[in-house]
Amino acid sequence: MISNTTAQVSTIVVDGTLFINPDATGHVKIYARRIYVRNGVFHFNATSNPNLKVSIHLYSDSENPFTEAQSLNMSTNSDLNKMDKAFIVTGQLQFIGSPKLVWTHLAASASPGDYKITLVDDVSRSWNVGDKIVIAPSGFNTSEFEFFAITEIDGSQIWVDQPIQFFHFGNTSESVNDIGSIDLRTEVASLSSNAVIMGDLSTDDAC
């Protein structure tokens, strides 16, 4: 059972059951060059603890990177030790996040300079302060998407960490000739999750 952030380790091989403590507080971080869930189970479940987060950071050994392209026999640890930034599962990986609203629409337009946006849905029980979000573009310029971190939540209203740069349409449906009404409100999506598996960007010289 893992309840706290780990020190950097070389290899984690799971043949039994490895699980993240569901009662852990805060953010559990695991640092390893490689993780091999061989015959066992790696289990994480945040349904009873929505604030529980785990991130797995895979790093490389800059002094002895493995870059040779070859087929590895995963039955031996000697072959496993040739791999960096590897997460291999031949057993079971069970990662279950807390139920959440993944995306919604703006309920009112957002203008440049705004820090507050109003959404169609109440996200107070689904999104958290510190979560990352993205607001889609609503004009003809497809590059006008924006990323933010949430600093405050009040029902369907959220505040973000920096001013909005572009206009994002959020009014009600528009009527278009004989087609009827279409919903043109801008989408807003959450980019945060309870579990993240990522490569360490500071050690990028291994395969």
Side-chain angles (χ1 to χ4, degrees), residues 10 29 40 47 70 91 136 144 153 162 166 175 203:
S10 177
K29 299 178 182 180
T47 55
Q70 65 180 42
E144 291 183 349
I153 302 175
Q162 54 187 323
F166 306 109
S175 296
T203 54

Side-chain angles (χ1 to χ4, degrees), residues 104-107 118-122 156 185:
T104 182
H105 287 101
L106 289 179
T118 303
L119 306 172
V120 170
D121 297 287
D122 183 340
S156 62
R185 294 173 297 184

Side-chain angles (χ1 to χ4, degrees), residues 16-203:
T17 300
L18 175 64
F19 65 95
I20 307 299
N21 183 356
D23 297 320
T25 58
H27 190 169
V28 177
K29 299 178 182 180
I30 300 172
Y31 295 90
R33 286 184 68 180
R34 57 192 75 87
I35 297 175
Y36 183 19
V37 185
R38 186 162 51 190
N39 299 309
V41 179
F42 190 177
H43 183 77
F44 168 76
N45 191 332
T47 55
S48 62
N49 185 0
N51 293 321
L52 177 61
K53 296 183 183 297
V54 60
S55 58
I56 297 173
H57 301 257
L58 301 169
Y59 69 96
S60 65
D61 181 353
S62 58
E63 296 182 356
N64 186 30
F66 175 71
T67 58
E68 181 180 357
Q70 65 180 42
S71 176
L72 298 176
N73 177 6
M74 296 311 301
S75 63
T76 65
N77 283 342
S78 60
D79 284 325
L80 175 64
N81 289 336
K82 296 176 183 178
M83 305 187 74
D84 274 336
K85 293 187 177 179
F87 193 108
I88 304 135
V89 180
T90 55
Q92 296 184 49
L93 181 66
Q94 302 172 347
F95 275 25
I96 306 170
S98 61
K100 69 179 300 181
L101 182 71
V102 177
W103 67 277
T104 182
H105 287 101
L106 289 179
S109 296
S111 300
D114 289 348
Y115 281 86
K116 182 184 76 173
I117 62 175
T118 303
L119 306 172
V120 170
D121 297 287
D122 183 340
V123 296
S124 58
R125 295 186 178 181
S126 183
W127 297 1
N128 298 292
V129 170
D131 281 0
K132 302 294 191 293
I133 64 168
V134 59
I135 304 179
S138 60
F140 293 105
N141 188 341
T142 57
S143 66
E144 291 183 349
F145 53 85
E146 301 189 65
F147 299 97
F148 301 98
I150 298 174
T151 60
E152 185 179 347
I153 302 175
D154 182 9
S156 62
Q157 294 183 325
I158 64 174
W159 285 257
V160 294
D161 61 331
Q162 54 187 323
I164 290 172
Q165 299 296 313
F166 306 109
F167 176 80
H168 299 278
F169 185 78
N171 293 339
T172 55
S173 301
E174 294 289 322
S175 296
V176 181
N177 297 329
D178 297 330
I179 299 175
S181 62
I182 58 175
D183 194 345
L184 298 175
R185 294 173 297 184
T186 304
E187 297 90 352
V188 182
S190 170
L191 300 177
S192 295
S193 61
N194 293 99
V196 175
I197 301 173
M198 61 187 296
D200 177 29
L201 296 178
S202 66
T203 54

